[in-house]
Amino acid sequence: MTRSVLKLTVTAVVAVLALAACGKKEEPKRDTAAEARAVTVVRVEPRRIAGAISASGDLRPREEAAVAAEVTGFRVLRVTADVGDHVRAGQVLAQLDPALLQAQIAQAEAQSAQAEDQARRVAGLDDTGVLSQEQIAQRRFQAQAAKANLRDLQTRFRKLSVTAPVSGIVLERTVRPGDLSAGGATPWFRIARDGQMELSAEMSEDDLALIRVGQTATVTLPSGAEVQGKVRIVSPQIDPATKLGEVRILLPVRSDIRAGGFGRAVFSDVAGMALAVPETAIRYDANGASVMVVGADNKVKRVPVQTGQRGSGLVQIISGPAAGARVVQNAASFLLDGDLVKPTEARAAAAQPAAKTPGAAR
């Protein structure tokens, strides 16, 4: 190769390298903010939820009748009713031994007949001088006294049959054959009138103000069954110590509603205040319910939540992010912990925050 040819070759190579260097461009820096996904966020705040007001309490008879013997000193001959029996008003529940009283009645009948005969003999003898006026009055008085004593014994005889004052279900029985009747003792029977039960629950003053007589409530029984009840009484006073008032909910007559049990009522037609988010913000997976919380750096984080009442498209948050936290409104958005987002706050018109959260958020 000649010197001139070599010179041309080197010149060409240098030119090619120069052109290549001129054509190479620097890669642009990645703009992570531009890649952030736009999402709508809502605040965890107090909102009105239909059905958020609930109350728990004991099941008890609407009206209870106590039954005991009205006469004392008699042995129980037999007991004809037991716990759980449905009894009618006037039905005999226990019978006392009448033997002693029957003998007294027979003697009183004879004495009454004799006294009446003596009184008849002095009829028309007033002011005749045959007998003194005092003797005549004494015979008449003895006849009346004997008659009154007989009536008393006959009344006591009828009371030997201990009867039900009302129709209903026998809740308790404490008497046995052979027991001696005694005044002021523990009632022998307790009867729930007509078998009707009600839920007696205590509520906060704020919640009680939203309840009215005749209002419908769904009551959950200890068995898990649900029944519809109606508010019968709303307490006219609040306990000054606990600041709670009583509400009584009348329940239908059912065999699985037992006195002394526990029940929980939800007032579905009342809107109560509770910390809540829209239903769409709750994500459900194998780990349970959660929401995606947007932090101050606009990065999302999955936070587990415990949910409560539902209604009006809202879900109560019992535990989870604090009030005021921003959560992604659409839980179906595919987001992972640490993802950067561009949050836009949803309109506050859908939410109805209040100045305070009453007992509904319990």
Side-chain angles (χ1 to χ4, degrees), residues 31 163 182 238 302 353:
D31 187 356
T163 59
I238 301 295
R302 179 186 178 277

Side-chain angles (χ1 to χ4, degrees), residues 49-52 279 282 284 307-316:
I49 303 180
E279 284 184 320
I282 306 295
Y284 299 93
T307 60
Q309 299 295 332
R310 297 170 180 269
S312 311
L314 301 170
V315 178
Q316 179 186 4

Side-chain angles (χ1 to χ4, degrees), residues 72-143:
T72 61
F74 294 88
R75 294 284 177 187
V76 177
L77 189 63
R78 59 181 176 273
V79 180
T80 57
D82 208 344
V83 174
D85 288 352
H86 290 259
V87 297
R88 303 179 310 276
Q91 179 177 332
V92 176
L93 307 179
Q95 180 65 53
L96 302 179
D97 189 349
L100 179 61
L101 204 55
Q102 285 173 334
Q104 293 176 349
I105 289 175
Q107 183 180 5
E109 285 175 342
Q111 292 174 345
S112 178
Q114 183 182 14
E116 286 182 7
D117 180 64
Q118 292 292 331
R120 280 195 300 270
R121 289 185 180 186
V122 297
L125 297 181
D126 295 272
D127 301 323
T128 61
V130 176
L131 290 174
S132 67
Q133 205 58 36
E134 181 180 355
Q135 290 175 315
I136 295 173
Q138 184 178 10
R139 290 191 182 188
R140 290 171 178 170
F141 173 77
Q142 288 175 342

Side-chain angles (χ1 to χ4, degrees), residues 198-210:
E198 62 184 12
L199 176 67
S200 174
E202 290 187 327
M203 303 180 68
S204 69
E205 186 176 2
D206 291 337
D207 288 351
L208 199 67
L210 301 174

Side-chain angles (χ1 to χ4, degrees), residues 34-314:
E35 294 178 1
R37 177 177 299 181
V39 295
T40 303
V41 296
V42 292
R43 299 274 179 177
V44 179
E45 57 191 358
R47 305 167 190 262
R48 291 198 176 276
I49 303 180
I53 293 183
S54 62
S56 301
D58 296 325
L59 300 172
R60 61 181 59 178
R62 173 184 174 178
E63 185 178 346
E64 185 178 303
V67 185
E70 296 182 54
V71 291
T72 61
F74 294 88
R75 294 284 177 187
V76 177
L77 189 63
R78 59 181 176 273
V79 180
T80 57
D82 208 344
V83 174
D85 288 352
H86 290 259
V87 297
R88 303 179 310 276
Q91 179 177 332
V92 176
L93 307 179
Q95 180 65 53
L96 302 179
D97 189 349
L100 179 61
L101 204 55
Q102 285 173 334
Q104 293 176 349
I105 289 175
Q107 183 180 5
E109 285 175 342
Q111 292 174 345
S112 178
Q114 183 182 14
E116 286 182 7
D117 180 64
Q118 292 292 331
R120 280 195 300 270
R121 289 185 180 186
V122 297
L125 297 181
D126 295 272
D127 301 323
T128 61
V130 176
L131 290 174
S132 67
Q133 205 58 36
E134 181 180 355
Q135 290 175 315
I136 295 173
Q138 184 178 10
R139 290 191 182 188
R140 290 171 178 170
F141 173 77
Q142 288 175 342
Q144 292 176 350
K147 187 181 295 185
N149 181 55
L150 177 60
R151 282 198 300 266
D152 176 67
L153 291 173
Q154 290 171 337
T155 300
R156 295 180 67 191
F157 182 82
R158 289 192 294 271
K159 297 296 183 180
L160 294 179
S161 296
V162 181
T163 59
V166 296
S167 299
I169 300 174
V170 178
L171 300 177
E172 183 180 9
R173 164 193 156 182
T174 60
V175 64
R176 302 164 300 177
D179 285 349
L180 189 66
S181 63
T186 303
W188 285 358
F189 300 92
R190 288 175 49 238
I191 301 175
R193 183 168 190 168
D194 299 326
Q196 284 196 320
M197 300 289 173
E198 62 184 12
L199 176 67
S200 174
E202 290 187 327
M203 303 180 68
S204 69
E205 186 176 2
D206 291 337
D207 288 351
L208 199 67
L210 301 174
I211 306 302
R212 64 185 184 278
V213 174
Q215 192 168 338
T216 302
T218 301
V219 177
T220 303
L221 303 175
S223 63
E226 293 184 348
V227 296
Q228 296 297 312
K230 290 203 173 202
V231 176
R232 185 175 72 89
I233 293 177
V234 177
S235 175
Q237 63 180 357
I238 301 295
D239 189 308
T242 63
K243 299 303 180 184
L244 298 175
E246 184 188 30
V247 59
R248 296 185 189 177
I249 303 167
L250 187 62
L251 303 175
V253 177
R254 289 177 40 149
S255 60
D256 58 345
I257 302 179
R258 300 177 177 87
F262 181 81
R264 181 173 181 270
V266 175
F267 301 89
S268 56
D269 55 346
V270 176
M273 300 304 299
L275 285 177
V277 295
E279 284 184 320
T280 56
I282 306 295
R283 173 184 288 187
Y284 299 93
D285 54 28
N287 296 320
S290 63
V291 293
M292 299 302 288
V293 177
V294 180
D297 57 358
N298 288 341
K299 289 185 178 180
V300 297
K301 180 183 178 182
R302 179 186 178 277
V303 176
V305 295
Q306 180 184 354
T307 60
Q309 299 295 332
R310 297 170 180 269
S312 311
L314 301 170

